Amino acid sequence: MKRLYAIALLTLSVPGCTSITVHRIDSSQSEELGVRYSLPKPFLLVTPQEDGSVTAKVLYLPDPDHTYAISAGTVAGTYSLRTSLSPEGFLEKVRFSADDAAVAAQLAESAGNAAASRIDQQQKAASDAAAARTARQKQSLDTLVGGVDEWRKANAELNTANATVENARSGVKAAEAALATAQVSGDVSAIAQAQANLVTAQNALRTAEAGLKNAEEAKALVSSLLRIGGATAGLPGASQATATKKANGPALFAIKDRRVEDGRYYPRLVAVKYPVTDPVTGSTQLSFDAIDNRPSKPAETAEPLGPPILRTATARKGEEIKIDLSKMGAKTIVNVECRVESTEVDGKELKVELKGEISTDQILTLTLPTNAEPGTYDCYIDVGTGERKTEKQLTVKE
Amino acid sequence: MPSNLGMRPRLCRLATLFVLVNVFGCATVIHNPILTTAADVKARGIRYYRSAPYLLVWQDGKGGLGWDIQFLPDQTQLMEARPTQFLASIQDGGEGGDGLTFENGVLINAEAAGDATKVPIALIKAGEAVATKLGPGFSAGTKKPTNLLPPRLYRIVVKPTGIEFVGGAADTEKIFVGNAAIHGLDVAITATSEGASE
């Protein structure tokens, strides 16, 4: 009786062990079963815009140091584990249902369910990994980090596919020639062998052509994404007109927390360095010591700007200032924008509005209004390329 | 009265209680902090981060400052959620029946989701004070700078006496904005700092 009671205890206690298990994955080669997910690692993406402004955006990427495999197991029972992952591979939802109420009745079936669930998990893990890879590619393209590398990879795969098709075509031609030779000889077995070889070669050609089509589509997709991301300028063969539109590269900072002596955690922005070289200009990526906010390099087709003809200008109220724009190097002046910043003298804000006219010989005449407040102003003159501005100081006297 | 099972009454009662506890009602989710890498290797629960507020300040490239309060995963607070059950039918993960839902690695069933529209006014006022304080040194004035300084990130620590911003340029900067300033008792919002503040 005592033994029966112990068995009853054991029977009722053991089968209930249905639980979720999560293992840390230290290597991408790990054979641990389960759906992979990563904790996100926050980064700050700072992107200089063409107009000189800057945008800052928090971006999450999978953290390889915090990658886990999630699975469920049971001694006896049925369960369903449903995990939802974001395209980046982050865990979004875990729904876990277990039913051990009919343990005894479903003992055998449970084993089958568990095995099937494991297979499902493996298939889902493979599917999730593929989705994460696609998302990573798109994300890297979106952020222009590694976009050119993705394009090169797609281009190399296309070249390989082209070579494979050419080889297959050569194989078909050789098989056709062999068949013709066999038919001339009249050897039945040789003809049969040659026909079999021809069929094999034709199948290989069809497979190679399908691969070529896939590679062409993949390259087209990457190229379109790059165009959306604005990195077309960095691609070999990109048009010069597009290349002149490029802006400075983005700067990426990892957000880290670290503990210091006082026991507190202090956040820290750590600049991410990665060797990226522009295939057109040969220039390398920013050093990230500071974010380069200089205006974009002038277009190669544009005339180089000459030295500033006027660093400072002094005029009295109502006087005219003449600036020879032809000496600024631009052949064609599209428009001229002259902007004068307000200034402050003794706590009083001063403003001046300049009216400018361009003559046919490209002389810009600026007229100081008679009510201009005396003072020194910063003056910006844009000669129309939209990329270069000349900075001057304008002093207005009584 | 001696037990007819041949066991001592106290042991019998304990064993029965053990079975009853296992059969009925033991469905829960245990949350544990994971403090070290070794603990992370040993842990078997679902890992997630708690969230924390941060102040992000950057030069906007036009002589001004941009700032924002962001709720980010707090990488110093790795946690595990371990659903357990024994012979009880757990539907959808346990707590509340909704399963465990995460957003950017943060368990949002238990945490207040990072929602910029729900940032307390006190934090916004304190953030303004910090941006104002950083203004003269961090921004480039009226001139458009040719090189921008890297952005600065401060962790927001709410204290009984005010709000402290730690981090910044030298990682160990502290800027404190008191409650009096936040709630408008002072004429001007002021911030005091120590460390490597500009």
Side-chain angles (χ1 to χ4, degrees), chain A residues 298-306 326 328-332 383 385 387-388:
Chain A
E300 292 179 19
T301 52
E303 294 293 323
L305 291 179
S326 64
M328 296 180 72
K331 277 183 178 174
T332 306
V383 296
T385 62
E387 294 176 346
R388 293 293 296 265

Side-chain angles (χ1 to χ4, degrees), chain A residues 5 9 24 92 255 264, chain B residues 16 19 40 75 101-102 164:
Chain A
Y5 194 81
L9 280 178
R24 179 183 162 119
E92 286 186 331
I255 298 174
R264 299 188 205 196
Chain B
T16 306
V19 171
D40 190 19
Q75 298 170 81
T101 307
F102 303 86
E164 191 173 54

Side-chain angles (χ1 to χ4, degrees), chain B residues 118-152:
Chain B
K118 295 178 183 172
V119 174
I121 291 175
L123 279 190
I124 296 174
K125 284 189 175 178
E128 277 178 359
V130 173
T132 304
K133 178 176 173 50
L134 289 177
F138 189 50
S139 71
T142 56
K143 288 188 176 178
K144 181 183 167 186
T146 53
N147 279 296
L148 298 181
L149 296 172
R152 295 184 186 181

Side-chain angles (χ1 to χ4, degrees), chain A residues 88-380:
Chain A
E88 297 88 355
F90 305 147
L91 195 59
E92 286 186 331
K93 200 165 188 67
V94 178
R95 295 169 72 87
F96 179 60
S97 301
D99 181 10
D100 294 322
V103 169
Q106 298 183 359
L107 193 59
E109 191 182 344
S110 296
N113 286 344
S117 181
R118 279 220 174 80
I119 291 169
D120 287 346
Q121 284 174 31
Q122 288 174 22
Q123 289 174 345
K124 188 169 186 324
S127 165
D128 290 341
R133 189 170 56 249
T134 306
R136 177 187 56 75
Q137 284 180 338
K138 185 174 185 315
Q139 192 165 37
S140 67
L141 290 168
D142 285 346
T143 56
L144 309 186
V145 179
V148 174
D149 287 344
E150 296 288 353
W151 184 90
R152 282 180 172 155
K153 206 179 292 178
N155 197 43
E157 286 172 1
L158 179 60
N159 290 338
T160 305
N162 267 320
T164 308
V165 168
E166 284 306 314
N167 288 338
R169 282 179 183 151
S170 302
V172 170
K173 283 181 184 172
E176 286 172 345
L179 178 59
T181 306
Q183 285 170 339
V184 169
S185 70
D187 185 345
V188 177
S189 63
I191 291 172
Q193 181 63 41
Q195 283 174 334
N197 289 343
L198 179 58
V199 170
T200 305
Q202 286 170 336
N203 286 338
L205 177 59
R206 272 194 288 275
T207 305
E209 284 174 340
L212 176 61
K213 189 181 174 191
N214 287 341
E216 283 173 344
E217 287 174 355
K219 185 185 171 185
L221 175 64
V222 173
S223 298
S224 66
L225 288 172
L226 275 173
R227 274 193 292 277
I228 292 168
T232 322
L235 297 180
S239 70
Q240 195 65 40
T242 311
T244 59
K245 286 292 182 187
K246 68 183 177 184
N248 289 314
L252 195 64
F253 297 87
I255 298 174
K256 293 187 175 178
D257 282 290
R258 69 187 182 92
R259 186 195 284 264
V260 294
E261 289 73 19
D262 63 0
R264 299 188 205 196
Y265 288 99
Y266 287 79
R268 190 180 186 196
L269 292 174
V270 180
V272 178
K273 295 186 179 183
Y274 49 95
V276 176
T277 302
D278 190 314
V280 175
T281 64
S283 63
T284 53
Q285 186 52 272
L286 301 174
S287 67
F288 300 115
D289 293 334
I291 303 165
D292 192 350
N293 192 42
R294 285 170 296 185
S296 301
K297 288 179 182 175
E300 292 179 19
T301 52
E303 294 293 323
L305 291 179
I309 57 169
L310 186 65
R311 288 203 175 276
T312 58
T314 303
R316 296 182 186 280
K317 291 191 282 187
E319 283 185 352
E320 291 182 343
I321 304 169
K322 293 188 181 297
I323 299 173
D324 188 353
L325 295 177
S326 64
K327 290 185 180 177
M328 296 180 72
K331 277 183 178 174
T332 306
I333 306 297
V334 180
N335 66 319
V336 171
E337 179 196 349
C338 184
R339 186 163 54 91
V340 181
E341 297 285 328
S342 63
T343 189
E344 197 172 289
V345 174
D346 296 333
K348 183 185 174 188
E349 189 179 17
L350 306 179
K351 288 183 180 176
V352 63
E353 289 184 3
L354 286 180
K355 291 183 179 177
E357 288 182 0
I358 312 172
S359 63
T360 51
D361 54 353
Q362 295 188 9
I363 299 296
L364 170 66
T365 303
L366 298 173
T367 307
L368 278 175
T370 54
N371 61 350
E373 297 282 355
T376 300
Y377 300 83
D378 289 328
C379 181
Y380 302 93

